[in-house]
Amino acid sequence: MSATTVTTTSTGTEEPVAATHISGLRERLDEIDAQIIALWQERAAISREVGATRVASGGTRLVLSREGEILDRYRQELGPDGTQLALLILRAGRGPL
């Protein structure tokens, strides 16, 4: 994308070099988002399979100690927002309680 085709509306700046740089960064963000979405979906599918296998073998639907480990890991790596993210990830894999 050339500096002349990047608009203020899409980047928030009229400075051509900055607008082009912002556009490039946003392209990379879009690539990262696509990877996050794909990994989220893969993780949820694997988590559902773990749960189904556990229940089919006579186990419990949830293992709270495992969920606690995941919550702790996300909180340690990402801070308080990590806990919220982990809760969403866990829910995606097991569904609402």
Side-chain angles (χ1 to χ4, degrees):
M1 180 176 287
S2 72
T4 57
T5 62
V6 177
T7 65
T8 301
T9 307
S10 66
T11 65
T13 182
E14 293 182 21
E15 204 284 310
V17 173
T20 300
H21 184 64
I22 290 168
S23 292
L25 292 171
R26 286 183 175 168
E27 286 177 19
R28 180 63 184 132
L29 288 173
D30 290 344
E31 292 168 359
I32 292 168
D33 287 343
Q35 292 173 338
I36 290 170
I37 290 166
L39 288 170
W40 180 292
Q41 292 169 333
E42 179 182 4
R43 190 192 190 289
I46 292 169
S47 182
R48 286 189 295 273
E49 185 174 347
V50 166
T53 302
R54 190 173 43 248
V55 169
S57 67
T60 61
R61 180 170 174 243
L62 298 175
V63 177
L64 295 179
S65 61
R66 172 67 177 154
E67 289 200 359
E69 292 171 9
I70 294 165
L71 289 167
D72 288 344
R73 183 179 327 128
Y74 276 76
R75 182 175 34 254
Q76 288 173 3
E77 295 295 324
L78 303 173
D81 287 342
T83 302
Q84 296 303 311
L85 179 58
L87 288 169
L88 290 170
I89 289 170
L90 289 169
R91 187 172 71 196
R94 62 162 152 67
L97 295 178

